[in-house]
PDB file of all heavy atoms in Angstrom:
ATOM      1  N   GLU A 308      -6.759 -21.393  -1.126  1.00  0.00           N
ATOM      2  CA  GLU A 308      -6.361 -22.820  -1.131  1.00  0.00           C
ATOM      3  C   GLU A 308      -5.009 -22.929  -1.815  1.00  0.00           C
ATOM      4  O   GLU A 308      -4.742 -22.291  -2.828  1.00  0.00           O
ATOM      5  CB  GLU A 308      -7.399 -23.667  -1.961  1.00  0.00           C
ATOM      6  CG  GLU A 308      -7.184 -25.122  -1.958  1.00  0.00           C
ATOM      7  CD  GLU A 308      -8.367 -25.914  -2.607  1.00  0.00           C
ATOM      8  OE1 GLU A 308      -9.386 -25.239  -2.961  1.00  0.00           O
ATOM      9  OE2 GLU A 308      -8.211 -27.095  -2.758  1.00  0.00           O
ATOM     10  N   THR A 309      -4.147 -23.696  -1.218  1.00  0.00           N
ATOM     11  CA  THR A 309      -2.769 -23.856  -1.661  1.00  0.00           C
ATOM     12  C   THR A 309      -2.770 -24.167  -3.165  1.00  0.00           C
ATOM     13  O   THR A 309      -3.431 -25.051  -3.612  1.00  0.00           O
ATOM     14  CB  THR A 309      -2.081 -24.999  -0.925  1.00  0.00           C
ATOM     15  OG1 THR A 309      -2.139 -24.701   0.507  1.00  0.00           O
ATOM     16  CG2 THR A 309      -0.586 -25.044  -1.307  1.00  0.00           C
ATOM     17  N   GLY A 310      -2.008 -23.342  -3.925  1.00  0.00           N
ATOM     18  CA  GLY A 310      -1.801 -23.584  -5.343  1.00  0.00           C
ATOM     19  C   GLY A 310      -2.939 -23.057  -6.259  1.00  0.00           C
ATOM     20  O   GLY A 310      -2.836 -23.206  -7.420  1.00  0.00           O
ATOM     21  N   LEU A 311      -3.979 -22.428  -5.722  1.00  0.00           N
ATOM     22  CA  LEU A 311      -5.077 -21.913  -6.489  1.00  0.00           C
ATOM     23  C   LEU A 311      -5.278 -20.461  -6.214  1.00  0.00           C
ATOM     24  O   LEU A 311      -4.920 -19.963  -5.193  1.00  0.00           O
ATOM     25  CB  LEU A 311      -6.352 -22.713  -6.217  1.00  0.00           C
ATOM     26  CG  LEU A 311      -6.385 -24.159  -6.635  1.00  0.00           C
ATOM     27  CD1 LEU A 311      -7.694 -24.833  -6.123  1.00  0.00           C
ATOM     28  CD2 LEU A 311      -6.316 -24.272  -8.147  1.00  0.00           C
ATOM     29  N   PRO A 312      -5.920 -19.765  -7.154  1.00  0.00           N
ATOM     30  CA  PRO A 312      -6.218 -18.322  -6.935  1.00  0.00           C
ATOM     31  C   PRO A 312      -7.253 -18.214  -5.864  1.00  0.00           C
ATOM     32  O   PRO A 312      -8.010 -19.136  -5.578  1.00  0.00           O
ATOM     33  CB  PRO A 312      -6.697 -17.834  -8.284  1.00  0.00           C
ATOM     34  CG  PRO A 312      -7.197 -19.005  -8.958  1.00  0.00           C
ATOM     35  CD  PRO A 312      -6.357 -20.141  -8.528  1.00  0.00           C
ATOM     36  N   CYS A 313      -7.334 -17.096  -5.209  1.00  0.00           N
ATOM     37  CA  CYS A 313      -8.393 -16.841  -4.210  1.00  0.00           C
ATOM     38  C   CYS A 313      -9.728 -17.021  -4.868  1.00  0.00           C
ATOM     39  O   CYS A 313      -9.983 -16.591  -6.008  1.00  0.00           O
ATOM     40  CB  CYS A 313      -8.291 -15.411  -3.658  1.00  0.00           C
ATOM     41  SG  CYS A 313      -9.562 -14.984  -2.485  1.00  0.00           S
ATOM     42  N   ARG A 314     -10.651 -17.643  -4.184  1.00  0.00           N
ATOM     43  CA  ARG A 314     -11.969 -17.854  -4.731  1.00  0.00           C
ATOM     44  C   ARG A 314     -12.938 -17.062  -3.880  1.00  0.00           C
ATOM     45  O   ARG A 314     -12.863 -16.995  -2.631  1.00  0.00           O
ATOM     46  CB  ARG A 314     -12.431 -19.370  -4.682  1.00  0.00           C
ATOM     47  CG  ARG A 314     -11.516 -20.304  -5.492  1.00  0.00           C
ATOM     48  CD  ARG A 314     -11.624 -19.902  -6.916  1.00  0.00           C
ATOM     49  NE  ARG A 314     -10.917 -20.958  -7.730  1.00  0.00           N
ATOM     50  CZ  ARG A 314     -10.671 -20.887  -9.039  1.00  0.00           C
ATOM     51  NH1 ARG A 314     -11.172 -19.901  -9.730  1.00  0.00           N
ATOM     52  NH2 ARG A 314     -10.004 -21.868  -9.633  1.00  0.00           N
ATOM     53  N   TYR A 315     -13.931 -16.392  -4.538  1.00  0.00           N
ATOM     54  CA  TYR A 315     -14.880 -15.536  -3.861  1.00  0.00           C
ATOM     55  C   TYR A 315     -16.241 -16.191  -3.790  1.00  0.00           C
ATOM     56  O   TYR A 315     -16.864 -16.451  -4.866  1.00  0.00           O
ATOM     57  CB  TYR A 315     -14.935 -14.166  -4.599  1.00  0.00           C
ATOM     58  CG  TYR A 315     -13.575 -13.552  -4.743  1.00  0.00           C
ATOM     59  CD1 TYR A 315     -12.860 -13.673  -5.894  1.00  0.00           C
ATOM     60  CD2 TYR A 315     -12.928 -12.922  -3.653  1.00  0.00           C
ATOM     61  CE1 TYR A 315     -11.574 -13.108  -6.095  1.00  0.00           C
ATOM     62  CE2 TYR A 315     -11.698 -12.334  -3.794  1.00  0.00           C
ATOM     63  CZ  TYR A 315     -11.005 -12.496  -5.009  1.00  0.00           C
ATOM     64  OH  TYR A 315      -9.735 -11.939  -5.092  1.00  0.00           O
ATOM     65  N   TYR A 316     -16.694 -16.504  -2.614  1.00  0.00           N
ATOM     66  CA  TYR A 316     -18.011 -17.153  -2.415  1.00  0.00           C
ATOM     67  C   TYR A 316     -18.991 -16.102  -2.005  1.00  0.00           C
ATOM     68  O   TYR A 316     -18.849 -15.403  -1.018  1.00  0.00           O
ATOM     69  CB  TYR A 316     -17.887 -18.227  -1.327  1.00  0.00           C
ATOM     70  CG  TYR A 316     -17.189 -19.475  -1.867  1.00  0.00           C
ATOM     71  CD1 TYR A 316     -15.797 -19.571  -2.014  1.00  0.00           C
ATOM     72  CD2 TYR A 316     -17.948 -20.576  -2.290  1.00  0.00           C
ATOM     73  CE1 TYR A 316     -15.237 -20.746  -2.475  1.00  0.00           C
ATOM     74  CE2 TYR A 316     -17.388 -21.719  -2.772  1.00  0.00           C
ATOM     75  CZ  TYR A 316     -16.019 -21.802  -2.899  1.00  0.00           C
ATOM     76  OH  TYR A 316     -15.437 -22.909  -3.407  1.00  0.00           O
ATOM     77  N   LEU A 317     -20.063 -15.948  -2.825  1.00  0.00           N
ATOM     78  CA  LEU A 317     -21.049 -14.922  -2.682  1.00  0.00           C
ATOM     79  C   LEU A 317     -22.343 -15.533  -2.217  1.00  0.00           C
ATOM     80  O   LEU A 317     -22.698 -16.660  -2.539  1.00  0.00           O
ATOM     81  CB  LEU A 317     -21.372 -14.279  -4.005  1.00  0.00           C
ATOM     82  CG  LEU A 317     -20.347 -13.296  -4.565  1.00  0.00           C
ATOM     83  CD1 LEU A 317     -18.921 -13.911  -4.787  1.00  0.00           C
ATOM     84  CD2 LEU A 317     -20.817 -12.678  -5.897  1.00  0.00           C
ATOM     85  N   PRO A 318     -23.129 -14.744  -1.342  1.00  0.00           N
ATOM     86  CA  PRO A 318     -24.496 -15.327  -1.038  1.00  0.00           C
ATOM     87  C   PRO A 318     -25.300 -15.574  -2.243  1.00  0.00           C
ATOM     88  O   PRO A 318     -25.190 -14.766  -3.247  1.00  0.00           O
ATOM     89  CB  PRO A 318     -25.083 -14.175  -0.173  1.00  0.00           C
ATOM     90  CG  PRO A 318     -23.976 -13.159   0.094  1.00  0.00           C
ATOM     91  CD  PRO A 318     -22.879 -13.450  -0.889  1.00  0.00           C
ATOM     92  N   ALA A 319     -26.100 -16.554  -2.202  1.00  0.00           N
ATOM     93  CA  ALA A 319     -26.985 -16.882  -3.375  1.00  0.00           C
ATOM     94  C   ALA A 319     -27.862 -15.722  -3.754  1.00  0.00           C
ATOM     95  O   ALA A 319     -28.105 -15.504  -4.956  1.00  0.00           O
ATOM     96  CB  ALA A 319     -27.807 -18.125  -3.076  1.00  0.00           C
ATOM     97  N   THR A 320     -28.261 -14.877  -2.822  1.00  0.00           N
ATOM     98  CA  THR A 320     -29.083 -13.748  -3.138  1.00  0.00           C
ATOM     99  C   THR A 320     -28.339 -12.625  -3.848  1.00  0.00           C
ATOM    100  O   THR A 320     -28.935 -11.711  -4.405  1.00  0.00           O
ATOM    101  CB  THR A 320     -29.659 -13.137  -1.825  1.00  0.00           C
ATOM    102  OG1 THR A 320     -28.561 -12.849  -0.945  1.00  0.00           O
ATOM    103  CG2 THR A 320     -30.616 -14.136  -1.173  1.00  0.00           C
ATOM    104  N   ALA A 321     -27.041 -12.710  -3.974  1.00  0.00           N
ATOM    105  CA  ALA A 321     -26.185 -11.771  -4.708  1.00  0.00           C
ATOM    106  C   ALA A 321     -26.253 -11.941  -6.200  1.00  0.00           C
ATOM    107  O   ALA A 321     -25.821 -11.076  -6.947  1.00  0.00           O
ATOM    108  CB  ALA A 321     -24.742 -11.719  -4.147  1.00  0.00           C
ATOM    109  N   VAL A 322     -26.660 -13.149  -6.624  1.00  0.00           N
ATOM    110  CA  VAL A 322     -26.625 -13.550  -8.028  1.00  0.00           C
ATOM    111  C   VAL A 322     -28.016 -13.387  -8.630  1.00  0.00           C
ATOM    112  O   VAL A 322     -29.001 -13.848  -8.057  1.00  0.00           O
ATOM    113  CB  VAL A 322     -26.085 -14.996  -8.209  1.00  0.00           C
ATOM    114  CG1 VAL A 322     -26.007 -15.318  -9.650  1.00  0.00           C
ATOM    115  CG2 VAL A 322     -24.736 -15.117  -7.570  1.00  0.00           C
ATOM    116  N   ASP A 323     -28.119 -12.818  -9.817  1.00  0.00           N
ATOM    117  CA  ASP A 323     -29.332 -12.682 -10.572  1.00  0.00           C
ATOM    118  C   ASP A 323     -29.960 -14.053 -10.788  1.00  0.00           C
ATOM    119  O   ASP A 323     -29.406 -14.803 -11.614  1.00  0.00           O
ATOM    120  CB  ASP A 323     -29.077 -11.912 -11.843  1.00  0.00           C
ATOM    121  CG  ASP A 323     -30.316 -11.751 -12.737  1.00  0.00           C
ATOM    122  OD1 ASP A 323     -31.417 -12.224 -12.322  1.00  0.00           O
ATOM    123  OD2 ASP A 323     -30.236 -11.152 -13.794  1.00  0.00           O
ATOM    124  N   PRO A 324     -31.052 -14.390 -10.121  1.00  0.00           N
ATOM    125  CA  PRO A 324     -31.606 -15.753 -10.280  1.00  0.00           C
ATOM    126  C   PRO A 324     -32.171 -16.045 -11.668  1.00  0.00           C
ATOM    127  O   PRO A 324     -32.256 -17.198 -12.091  1.00  0.00           O
ATOM    128  CB  PRO A 324     -32.752 -15.769  -9.228  1.00  0.00           C
ATOM    129  CG  PRO A 324     -33.098 -14.356  -8.980  1.00  0.00           C
ATOM    130  CD  PRO A 324     -31.836 -13.544  -9.228  1.00  0.00           C
ATOM    131  N   SER A 325     -32.432 -14.956 -12.456  1.00  0.00           N
ATOM    132  CA  SER A 325     -33.036 -15.173 -13.808  1.00  0.00           C
ATOM    133  C   SER A 325     -32.045 -15.791 -14.760  1.00  0.00           C
ATOM    134  O   SER A 325     -32.419 -16.308 -15.811  1.00  0.00           O
ATOM    135  CB  SER A 325     -33.599 -13.882 -14.337  1.00  0.00           C
ATOM    136  OG  SER A 325     -32.521 -13.004 -14.691  1.00  0.00           O
ATOM    137  N   VAL A 326     -30.715 -15.723 -14.483  1.00  0.00           N
ATOM    138  CA  VAL A 326     -29.733 -16.267 -15.392  1.00  0.00           C
ATOM    139  C   VAL A 326     -29.232 -17.669 -15.002  1.00  0.00           C
ATOM    140  O   VAL A 326     -28.489 -18.264 -15.680  1.00  0.00           O
ATOM    141  CB  VAL A 326     -28.526 -15.272 -15.536  1.00  0.00           C
ATOM    142  CG1 VAL A 326     -28.965 -13.943 -16.010  1.00  0.00           C
ATOM    143  CG2 VAL A 326     -27.726 -15.180 -14.208  1.00  0.00           C
ATOM    144  N   LEU A 327     -29.658 -18.102 -13.883  1.00  0.00           N
ATOM    145  CA  LEU A 327     -29.157 -19.413 -13.310  1.00  0.00           C
ATOM    146  C   LEU A 327     -29.990 -20.632 -13.853  1.00  0.00           C
ATOM    147  O   LEU A 327     -31.212 -20.536 -13.896  1.00  0.00           O
ATOM    148  CB  LEU A 327     -29.199 -19.481 -11.856  1.00  0.00           C
ATOM    149  CG  LEU A 327     -28.374 -18.437 -11.066  1.00  0.00           C
ATOM    150  CD1 LEU A 327     -28.593 -18.534  -9.556  1.00  0.00           C
ATOM    151  CD2 LEU A 327     -26.902 -18.630 -11.431  1.00  0.00           C
ATOM    152  N   ARG A 328     -29.265 -21.641 -14.211  1.00  0.00           N
ATOM    153  CA  ARG A 328     -29.874 -22.943 -14.667  1.00  0.00           C
ATOM    154  C   ARG A 328     -29.088 -24.046 -13.891  1.00  0.00           C
ATOM    155  O   ARG A 328     -27.894 -24.104 -14.048  1.00  0.00           O
ATOM    156  CB  ARG A 328     -29.804 -23.201 -16.126  1.00  0.00           C
ATOM    157  CG  ARG A 328     -30.452 -22.072 -17.003  1.00  0.00           C
ATOM    158  CD  ARG A 328     -31.934 -22.008 -16.833  1.00  0.00           C
ATOM    159  NE  ARG A 328     -32.494 -21.001 -17.729  1.00  0.00           N
ATOM    160  CZ  ARG A 328     -32.568 -19.687 -17.427  1.00  0.00           C
ATOM    161  NH1 ARG A 328     -32.072 -19.214 -16.296  1.00  0.00           N
ATOM    162  NH2 ARG A 328     -33.143 -18.821 -18.264  1.00  0.00           N
ATOM    163  N   GLU A 329     -29.803 -24.898 -13.166  1.00  0.00           N
ATOM    164  CA  GLU A 329     -29.158 -25.975 -12.442  1.00  0.00           C
ATOM    165  C   GLU A 329     -28.477 -26.927 -13.442  1.00  0.00           C
ATOM    166  O   GLU A 329     -29.087 -27.223 -14.481  1.00  0.00           O
ATOM    167  CB  GLU A 329     -30.238 -26.704 -11.664  1.00  0.00           C
ATOM    168  CG  GLU A 329     -29.646 -27.725 -10.663  1.00  0.00           C
ATOM    169  CD  GLU A 329     -29.193 -27.083  -9.373  1.00  0.00           C
ATOM    170  OE1 GLU A 329     -29.812 -26.137  -8.884  1.00  0.00           O
ATOM    171  OE2 GLU A 329     -28.191 -27.579  -8.820  1.00  0.00           O
ATOM    172  N   SER A 330     -27.272 -27.285 -13.138  1.00  0.00           N
ATOM    173  CA  SER A 330     -26.499 -28.168 -13.983  1.00  0.00           C
ATOM    174  C   SER A 330     -26.527 -29.585 -13.406  1.00  0.00           C
ATOM    175  O   SER A 330     -26.800 -29.739 -12.181  1.00  0.00           O
ATOM    176  CB  SER A 330     -25.038 -27.681 -14.128  1.00  0.00           C
ATOM    177  OG  SER A 330     -24.262 -28.670 -14.692  1.00  0.00           O
ATOM    178  N   ARG A 331     -26.322 -30.585 -14.184  1.00  0.00           N
ATOM    179  CA  ARG A 331     -26.253 -31.930 -13.641  1.00  0.00           C
ATOM    180  C   ARG A 331     -24.821 -32.275 -13.177  1.00  0.00           C
ATOM    181  O   ARG A 331     -24.576 -33.306 -12.624  1.00  0.00           O
ATOM    182  CB  ARG A 331     -26.663 -32.922 -14.744  1.00  0.00           C
ATOM    183  CG  ARG A 331     -28.136 -32.834 -15.119  1.00  0.00           C
ATOM    184  CD  ARG A 331     -28.519 -33.870 -16.087  1.00  0.00           C
ATOM    185  NE  ARG A 331     -29.925 -33.679 -16.374  1.00  0.00           N
ATOM    186  CZ  ARG A 331     -30.554 -34.504 -17.226  1.00  0.00           C
ATOM    187  NH1 ARG A 331     -29.957 -35.395 -17.862  1.00  0.00           N
ATOM    188  NH2 ARG A 331     -31.879 -34.297 -17.434  1.00  0.00           N
ATOM    189  N   THR A 332     -23.880 -31.375 -13.389  1.00  0.00           N
ATOM    190  CA  THR A 332     -22.536 -31.649 -13.063  1.00  0.00           C
ATOM    191  C   THR A 332     -22.315 -31.620 -11.495  1.00  0.00           C
ATOM    192  O   THR A 332     -22.908 -30.858 -10.754  1.00  0.00           O
ATOM    193  CB  THR A 332     -21.590 -30.526 -13.631  1.00  0.00           C
ATOM    194  OG1 THR A 332     -21.739 -30.574 -15.039  1.00  0.00           O
ATOM    195  CG2 THR A 332     -20.096 -30.809 -13.286  1.00  0.00           C
ATOM    196  N   SER A 333     -21.520 -32.578 -11.072  1.00  0.00           N
ATOM    197  CA  SER A 333     -21.158 -32.708  -9.604  1.00  0.00           C
ATOM    198  C   SER A 333     -19.694 -33.091  -9.571  1.00  0.00           C
ATOM    199  O   SER A 333     -19.251 -33.984 -10.368  1.00  0.00           O
ATOM    200  CB  SER A 333     -22.053 -33.683  -8.955  1.00  0.00           C
ATOM    201  OG  SER A 333     -21.669 -33.879  -7.650  1.00  0.00           O
ATOM    202  N   THR A 334     -18.915 -32.445  -8.742  1.00  0.00           N
ATOM    203  CA  THR A 334     -17.511 -32.841  -8.477  1.00  0.00           C
ATOM    204  C   THR A 334     -17.248 -32.998  -7.043  1.00  0.00           C
ATOM    205  O   THR A 334     -18.085 -32.569  -6.206  1.00  0.00           O
ATOM    206  CB  THR A 334     -16.524 -31.821  -9.121  1.00  0.00           C
ATOM    207  OG1 THR A 334     -16.754 -30.531  -8.530  1.00  0.00           O
ATOM    208  CG2 THR A 334     -16.735 -31.722 -10.633  1.00  0.00           C
ATOM    209  N   GLN A 335     -16.114 -33.496  -6.717  1.00  0.00           N
ATOM    210  CA  GLN A 335     -15.734 -33.609  -5.269  1.00  0.00           C
ATOM    211  C   GLN A 335     -14.366 -33.035  -4.980  1.00  0.00           C
ATOM    212  O   GLN A 335     -13.513 -33.104  -5.846  1.00  0.00           O
ATOM    213  CB  GLN A 335     -15.712 -35.131  -4.892  1.00  0.00           C
ATOM    214  CG  GLN A 335     -17.043 -35.784  -4.976  1.00  0.00           C
ATOM    215  CD  GLN A 335     -17.012 -37.240  -4.537  1.00  0.00           C
ATOM    216  OE1 GLN A 335     -16.051 -37.717  -4.003  1.00  0.00           O
ATOM    217  NE2 GLN A 335     -18.108 -37.938  -4.798  1.00  0.00           N
ATOM    218  N   CYS A 336     -14.192 -32.486  -3.838  1.00  0.00           N
ATOM    219  CA  CYS A 336     -12.940 -31.945  -3.391  1.00  0.00           C
ATOM    220  C   CYS A 336     -12.641 -32.467  -1.992  1.00  0.00           C
ATOM    221  O   CYS A 336     -13.524 -32.484  -1.128  1.00  0.00           O
ATOM    222  CB  CYS A 336     -13.045 -30.400  -3.293  1.00  0.00           C
ATOM    223  SG  CYS A 336     -11.706 -29.612  -2.502  1.00  0.00           S
ATOM    224  N   PRO A 337     -11.451 -32.904  -1.757  1.00  0.00           N
ATOM    225  CA  PRO A 337     -11.121 -33.477  -0.447  1.00  0.00           C
ATOM    226  C   PRO A 337     -11.173 -32.457   0.702  1.00  0.00           C
ATOM    227  O   PRO A 337     -11.360 -32.757   1.839  1.00  0.00           O
ATOM    228  CB  PRO A 337      -9.734 -34.006  -0.591  1.00  0.00           C
ATOM    229  CG  PRO A 337      -9.111 -33.356  -1.808  1.00  0.00           C
ATOM    230  CD  PRO A 337     -10.263 -32.957  -2.659  1.00  0.00           C
ATOM    231  N   TYR A 338     -11.122 -31.173   0.362  1.00  0.00           N
ATOM    232  CA  TYR A 338     -11.104 -30.135   1.407  1.00  0.00           C
ATOM    233  C   TYR A 338     -12.498 -29.478   1.587  1.00  0.00           C
ATOM    234  O   TYR A 338     -12.707 -28.894   2.633  1.00  0.00           O
ATOM    235  CB  TYR A 338     -10.081 -29.030   1.034  1.00  0.00           C
ATOM    236  CG  TYR A 338      -8.712 -29.625   0.862  1.00  0.00           C
ATOM    237  CD1 TYR A 338      -8.266 -30.041  -0.387  1.00  0.00           C
ATOM    238  CD2 TYR A 338      -7.881 -29.866   1.999  1.00  0.00           C
ATOM    239  CE1 TYR A 338      -6.968 -30.573  -0.526  1.00  0.00           C
ATOM    240  CE2 TYR A 338      -6.652 -30.485   1.828  1.00  0.00           C
ATOM    241  CZ  TYR A 338      -6.201 -30.813   0.558  1.00  0.00           C
ATOM    242  OH  TYR A 338      -4.987 -31.383   0.443  1.00  0.00           O
ATOM    243  N   LYS A 339     -13.324 -29.597   0.591  1.00  0.00           N
ATOM    244  CA  LYS A 339     -14.610 -28.878   0.637  1.00  0.00           C
ATOM    245  C   LYS A 339     -15.833 -29.801   0.538  1.00  0.00           C
ATOM    246  O   LYS A 339     -16.908 -29.465   0.973  1.00  0.00           O
ATOM    247  CB  LYS A 339     -14.686 -27.768  -0.427  1.00  0.00           C
ATOM    248  CG  LYS A 339     -13.643 -26.657  -0.159  1.00  0.00           C
ATOM    249  CD  LYS A 339     -13.680 -25.584  -1.212  1.00  0.00           C
ATOM    250  CE  LYS A 339     -13.167 -25.959  -2.565  1.00  0.00           C
ATOM    251  NZ  LYS A 339     -11.744 -26.261  -2.711  1.00  0.00           N
ATOM    252  N   GLY A 340     -15.699 -30.970  -0.080  1.00  0.00           N
ATOM    253  CA  GLY A 340     -16.819 -31.919  -0.197  1.00  0.00           C
ATOM    254  C   GLY A 340     -17.338 -32.024  -1.585  1.00  0.00           C
ATOM    255  O   GLY A 340     -16.654 -31.865  -2.630  1.00  0.00           O
TER     256      GLY A 340
END
Side-chain angles (χ1 to χ4, degrees):
E308 185 171 354
T309 305
L311 292 173
C313 179
R314 299 296 187 185
Y315 305 99
Y316 283 81
L317 286 57
T320 55
V322 181
D323 177 358
S325 70
V326 302
L327 297 178
R328 303 294 181 275
E329 192 81 35
S330 168
R331 292 183 180 180
T332 302
S333 175
T334 59
Q335 296 182 10
C336 170
Y338 304 94
K339 296 180 289 292

